[in-house]
Amino acid sequence: VRRYSISTYLITAMLAIVAPFCLFLWFLAWQLQTSEAEAVDRRTLRAAQSISRAIEPVIDSMTTTVNLLSSTEDLAKGELETFHRRSRFALRNTGQFVLLVDDDKNQMLNTRVDYGTPLGKIADINGFERAIQAGQPVATDFFMGKTSGKWVFNVIKPLDLSPNSKARLLLTTMNIENVAAAVSELQLQDDWKAIIVDGSDNALDAHGMTAEIRNSAEVLPGGMVASDLSQMPSINHIQTSEEQVLAYSRIRGTSWKAVVWGPLASAQASILKTWQMLIFGTIVLLSVCVLVVYA
């Protein structure tokens, strides 16, 4: 029978005691990392949902505006100058402007400018056609307004044909800066980002109270475009140079989505630090045990 030295028995006994303890610690750390990854997913989705909840009241307010103005007596009688003056006064502090459009897509009035100012056709032909087909208020995608010279969006309501007016659509318009605050006020880590995308692959990229419109492929990670999101779950892990967590939330009453994403590693910094301490501690513990046995 082969005999072993006392040090061999001691090392074997030490490993038998320490190894299960180390395995348990590693299993515990793995569970913590898994839980933290799920928590990052939930936080990212909640951030996207908070943007949606901040923007939805704006869309609701604009929808209420067109519903109320479409039933005014001035519009029913075709008294457009009076309608222009009263609408302009009522909405002076809301960031909203009212337009009337005829069947040929010509602007009949626009409260951004004085009544009687020469106006051309509306810029958002697609929104015009969508509203006519829907027969109810619709929110448009982002587009460059002709009168304002700025990126805007509309809520458009078709009007019943009237013998007193050629008006076919009533719409209220707003600059994109009015919804930029919902994105820029969201507290995110430096390497995380939040945007709003519409159904035309436009991305609203907010910087403080200002915003710019870019193609969504230039902003979203992994070469994605906004239309890809419709085929994806609300929470995704995307592999680029590093693993990214992306979540989006649909904005009710629009084709828009609020999108938030960022690297998983930065969101898991605390648990990664725990992993490092655990590995270091395990190595130190094994080294001390081996030294004691050797001595």
Side-chain angles (χ1 to χ4, degrees), residues 193-212:
K193 194 168 184 62
I195 62 172
I196 300 170
V197 296
D198 66 13
S200 301
D201 286 335
N202 297 311
L204 189 160
D205 192 3
H207 310 280
M209 294 302 294
T210 62
E212 62 177 324

Side-chain angles (χ1 to χ4, degrees), residues 99 101 105-107 110 120-129 140-152 154 156 171 173:
L99 286 78
V101 181
K105 306 178 182 63
N106 295 308
Q107 299 181 58
N110 187 329
K121 292 183 180 295
I122 58 172
D124 186 23
I125 303 301
N126 181 57
F128 178 98
E129 295 172 349
T140 71
D141 294 333
F142 308 127
F143 65 95
M144 179 63 71
K146 288 184 178 179
T147 304
S148 64
K150 298 180 179 180
W151 284 94
V152 299
N154 297 337
I156 308 177
L171 63 89
T173 186

Side-chain angles (χ1 to χ4, degrees), residues 156-181:
I156 308 177
K157 180 178 181 179
L159 297 174
D160 295 331
L161 296 176
S162 168
N164 298 319
S165 173
K166 295 181 179 180
R168 189 68 180 92
L169 291 180
L170 169 66
L171 63 89
T172 178
T173 186
M174 183 178 286
N175 299 339
I176 61 169
E177 287 82 5
N178 291 83
V179 297

Side-chain angles (χ1 to χ4, degrees), residues 223-238:
M224 296 172 53
V225 294
S227 53
D228 293 335
L229 296 173
S230 299
Q231 311 301 322
M232 300 169 63
S234 56
I235 301 175
N236 303 271
H237 284 230
I238 301 169

Side-chain angles (χ1 to χ4, degrees), residues 8-22 286 289-290 293:
T8 301
Y9 287 112
L10 288 174
I11 291 174
T12 303
M14 180 270 295
L15 290 176
I17 295 171
V18 174
F21 174 69
C22 293
L286 288 174
C289 292
V290 169
V293 170

